[in-house]
Amino acid sequence: MSSRAVRTGPARSGDIRPLSPVPAGVALFPTVARLGLPPVAEPRELWIGLHLPHLPVEALGASGDVPRAVLEMKGQTQFITAMCERAESFGVRPGMSMAAALALIPHLQMQPRDATREKQLLERLATQAQRFTPRVSLVPPDGLLLEVKGSLHLFGGAEALCRALEEQCRETGAKPLIALTPVPLAALACARAGHHCLVTEPTHLVGQLAALPLTTLRWPVDVLDRLKQIGVYTIGEAARLPRAGFARRFGKSQLVMLDRVTGKLADLRLRFQPRERFERRHPLLYDVEHHEALLATLEPLLQELAAFLKARQCGITRLECRLQHRHAPVTRCLLRLASPAANASHFAKLLGERLAALPLPEPVRALELRSGGLVSRAPFADSLWRPGEHGGGVSAESPELIEHLRARLGHEAVYGLQMLASHRPETAWASTDLEAPKTAVHERELPTIASRGAGRSSFLTSPWPVFRRPVWLLPTPRRLREREGQPHRRGPLRLLSAAERIETGWWDHADITRDYYIAVDIHGVRLWIFRERAAPHRWFLQGVFG
Amino acid sequence: MEANASGADTSRAELGRLLEQHPAIWRGRNVARMETVPTGFAALDDALPGKGWPRAGLVEILISRVGVGEMCLLLPTLAALTHRPSARWCAYISPPFEPFAPALAAHGVKLDRLFVARGESSWAFEQSLASGACEMVMAWAGQPQAVDKGLSRSRVRKNRTAERHAREIRRLQLAAERGRALGVLFRPQRAAREFSNAVLRLHVQPTEQGVRVTLVKSRGGQRGAIDLNWATPSSSNPSSSTSSPQAHGS
C-alpha cells in the first residue's frame, strides 16, 4: 500500500518536482519509475484532530467544582448526553438515565443541552486555532481539524504545537483530546478514541489505526451492530474484510470512509471562515483637535464601510470608533443601533452627535473604525414616496430618529411606554426599549389589562373609566401638607370625588392600602391624591389630570 | 358688523355669499386652507381655520401651569393620530411628569407609537419635528419664573429675550413644516405678549366643568373664546356641549 502511495502521490497533487532523467514513456513500468524517484517518506499534509468530549458541559460556562451533566430528551425520558470529568470519574456515562446518574452522585447538577452555545464555543475555538494555521475546519458537533504541516517549524515541532494548542483550548474553557496524523479522518478517530498519538510518517499510520474501535468513525448504529455480530470491532478488522462484500453488506459509504481513514482516498475539508468584520485604521498626517475635522476624515472610512456592507447585503448594529492620541489612552466611541444599518450618512450623523459630546484629552493622531458582526439586511428601494406617508411603506425612518436622539441624549433617555396588569399606579406602567414598529400580533402577546378588560376593541383598552386616572404620574408620590385634616397644595384642595380604595400587592412586600380622591387646587388644576389608610393617614399627591 | 345687527342673519348670509362669489374680492380667510386634523371637539373645530389642528405646523398652547386641561384637549387628536394606518411616532419631549400609560390607553392612545425623550428639549424637539418620522411632537418650554423675578431688568434685555424666543419658534415652525409634523409647544401664559411665528396660539384656562380656550392667534381663523366641557365620567367620548364664539371679525 505504501509503495502505491509513494508513486501516485506527487502526480495527484500536481506538485512541480525537478524533472527526472527518465523519459515520460517509461512511467508505464512501475519498477522503472520507482527507481527514478527518491523514496518519499514525508507526508504532504499533517492533520491535528481535536475532539472535545465535554463540549456540551463546557459550553454552558464554568461552574466551580460541582459535578455537572447535560441532559437530552429521548422519547419520554431524559438521558445524560455529556458530563464533566469529575462526574465521569464517579462513573456517570453518556446514555445513562437521570435517575441512575443521581444514584451515583446525589448532588449532580443537571442542565438541558444548548446546541447554539455549543456551536458558538466551537467556532470560538476554531477562530483561536487560526493562530496556528489558516487551514482549520469544523467537524460539528464536537471536533476540529487543523492542517499544520507548514506551521510545525514555527512552533518548535509537532509535540510543542500540540501542547500549545491544548493550552489555548484550556484557557478558553475546553479540555480537548488531540492526535496528529497525515490523514484528517485518522487524526479524528485517534482523538475520539483518546489515543494521543503523533504519527508523522504515512507508513506508520495503519499500525496505529488497526486497534481503534469502529465507534470512533461514527457509523450508523445498525451497521456497527451487524459488524459486531460477525465479530468485527476495530478498524483493522474491518479493513481486512473483502472489499466487494463489505460494500454490499455494510454500504458503499462505509467503504469510502475506510479508504479515507487509511489515506487511500483524498479527504477534502471545507475551510472554516471566521465571521467578517470591517476594520480600518487611518493614520492622520497632522494632529486633529476639532470634531468637524475628525468627522471629515472619518467620511471616506464610512463610505468604505457602506460599500463593504452594501456588497454583502448586510448591516451592522455596533460600530466602534477609536481615537488614538500621542500619550493619553485611546478614546473610544461606541455606537449601538436599534436596527441593522448600512448607510454612510446615517453613521456620520450619529457619530457626529457622539463625537461632539466626547471630551478629547489630547489631539488625535489616528482613527480606527471597527464594526460589530454583520447582520443580514434587506436593502430598501429608493421610492418616490417617503416612507410612512401617503401610501409609502412602513415608516423606515423611525429607528433613525430614535437612534439619533439616543446618540446625543443617551440610550436610556429615550423610551417607550407600556401598560402592565396591575392596580398599583406605580407598577401599572413600564418604560420599554423602543424597537422597530410592531405589528398587531405583538400587541396581543403583551400581558396587558386589555386582554381581561370588557369589550375588546381594535386598540388597547384599560378597564378604568376615562376620567378616573390622571394623564400624568409623579415619579414618586409627593407628600402634601395638611391643615385641619385637609390636604393643602398652594392653598386648600377641594375633593371632587368619593374615595376609591386601592388595596393590593400584599404578595410582594410592596402592598398599598390607599384611598384615592380627585381634587382640584385653587388654580383649577385637577390632582390625583391619596390618603394612607395606615396610622399617620398622610396625604400624598400622585398624579395630575392634564 | 355689530352695527347692523337687526335682521342680521339673512343679510349677513347674503353678504357672505356675495363676497364669496365676487371674482374681484379676495379674502384672507380662504388662503388658510390647509390640511388639518380634527380636534375631537366640534365647537373648537368650528373656530379653528380649516376645522382642526394644522397637519403640519407649530401650535403654541399657553398655560398658567401644567394640568389645567391642556392634555385633555389634545388626547382625542393623539389617539386618532396613533391609529392611522402606518402611523409615525408621537413624541413627548421632556414632559413635566411621567405620562401615565393606563390613562393614555383608556383615552384610546396606541402606546406602541409613543416615545418619550428627556434632555436637551430644544434640540430634541427640532430634530423630531424635522425628521419626518413623527406625526405629533409635544414639548414643554421651561417656566421662566426665576428669570422674570428680576424686575429691574432693562427693557432692552427683555426685548432681546423675546426676540431670541421668536427666532427659535420660527425655526421650530419651519422644522414642523419640513417634517410634516404637528408640533405642540406648551409655554407659560406670560409669553402671550411676545411675537410668535406659530400657526396657531391658544390660551387654555381651567373652568369648573372643562376649559376655556382663547384663540390668541390663528391664521385666517376667528378669534375669541370657546368653552369646552369634559364629558361626565360615565360616557367615554369627550364632546363639547356649549360654545360661545364671540366673533370679533378679523
Side-chain angles (χ1 to χ4, degrees), chain A residues 320-403:
Chain A
E320 194 185 5
C321 179
R322 294 163 153 239
L323 309 172
Q324 285 164 358
H325 311 285
R326 192 185 292 271
H327 303 295
V330 176
T331 310
R332 290 171 181 207
C333 169
L334 181 69
L335 214 64
R336 281 191 298 170
L337 305 165
S339 64
N343 189 345
S345 59
H346 182 47
F347 292 141
K349 200 162 105 183
L350 296 181
L351 272 179
E353 294 295 352
R354 265 297 158 84
L355 288 176
L358 206 67
L360 292 177
E362 269 182 26
V364 179
R365 303 266 302 174
L367 291 169
E368 198 177 337
L369 214 57
R370 292 181 175 190
S371 80
L374 303 192
V375 187
S376 74
R377 164 185 176 276
F380 292 112
D382 293 326
S383 168
L384 275 176
W385 284 267
R386 294 182 65 177
E389 204 177 327
H390 295 303
V394 188
S395 41
E397 276 180 300
S398 344
E400 283 188 20
L401 169 68
I402 302 292
E403 281 158 13

Side-chain angles (χ1 to χ4, degrees), chain A residues 389 398 408 415 466 471 473, chain B residues 89 98 100 107 116 120 180:
Chain A
E389 204 177 327
S398 344
R408 178 137 162 191
Y415 53 89
V466 173
V471 178
L473 197 73
Chain B
W89 293 106
E98 289 297 340
F100 191 42
H107 279 92
V116 181
E120 297 196 48
R180 297 190 43 75

Side-chain angles (χ1 to χ4, degrees), chain A residues 190-406:
Chain A
C190 289
R192 282 172 187 161
H195 184 55
H196 182 80
C197 59
L198 296 174
V199 183
T200 48
E201 282 185 43
T203 41
H204 296 171
L205 180 63
V206 180
Q208 293 282 349
L209 284 176
L212 294 184
L214 277 172
T215 46
T216 57
L217 293 180
R218 302 213 168 148
W219 285 352
V221 182
D222 61 314
V223 174
L224 289 176
D225 280 347
R226 267 180 282 147
L227 282 165
K228 216 183 277 177
Q229 281 162 16
I230 57 166
V232 175
Y233 293 95
T234 63
I235 293 179
E237 287 163 355
R240 263 200 300 274
L241 295 174
R243 292 173 61 87
F246 186 89
R248 209 167 48 243
R249 293 176 63 185
F250 305 109
K252 219 172 209 170
S253 57
Q254 268 64 258
L255 185 66
V256 170
M257 224 164 175
L258 264 187
D259 284 348
R260 281 198 181 140
V261 81
T262 46
K264 281 181 199 158
L265 266 180
D267 192 355
L268 300 177
R269 295 281 166 173
L270 273 183
R271 189 184 286 193
F272 168 68
Q273 299 278 2
R275 289 227 186 136
E276 258 187 315
R277 261 157 227 273
F278 182 83
E279 218 173 298
R280 289 284 183 285
R281 195 165 175 278
H282 185 66
L284 299 171
L285 297 177
Y286 43 87
D287 288 7
V288 173
E289 293 180 61
H290 297 290
H291 295 110
E292 288 82 10
L294 273 181
L295 210 58
T297 34
L298 266 177
E299 193 70 40
L301 287 185
L302 290 173
Q303 294 286 358
E304 206 181 325
L305 169 64
F308 172 88
L309 292 173
K310 194 176 170 191
R312 287 160 182 77
Q313 298 212 348
C314 283
I316 49 171
T317 54
R318 272 169 69 97
L319 182 65
E320 194 185 5
C321 179
R322 294 163 153 239
L323 309 172
Q324 285 164 358
H325 311 285
R326 192 185 292 271
H327 303 295
V330 176
T331 310
R332 290 171 181 207
C333 169
L334 181 69
L335 214 64
R336 281 191 298 170
L337 305 165
S339 64
N343 189 345
S345 59
H346 182 47
F347 292 141
K349 200 162 105 183
L350 296 181
L351 272 179
E353 294 295 352
R354 265 297 158 84
L355 288 176
L358 206 67
L360 292 177
E362 269 182 26
V364 179
R365 303 266 302 174
L367 291 169
E368 198 177 337
L369 214 57
R370 292 181 175 190
S371 80
L374 303 192
V375 187
S376 74
R377 164 185 176 276
F380 292 112
D382 293 326
S383 168
L384 275 176
W385 284 267
R386 294 182 65 177
E389 204 177 327
H390 295 303
V394 188
S395 41
E397 276 180 300
S398 344
E400 283 188 20
L401 169 68
I402 302 292
E403 281 158 13
H404 191 191
L405 292 175
R406 275 183 175 165

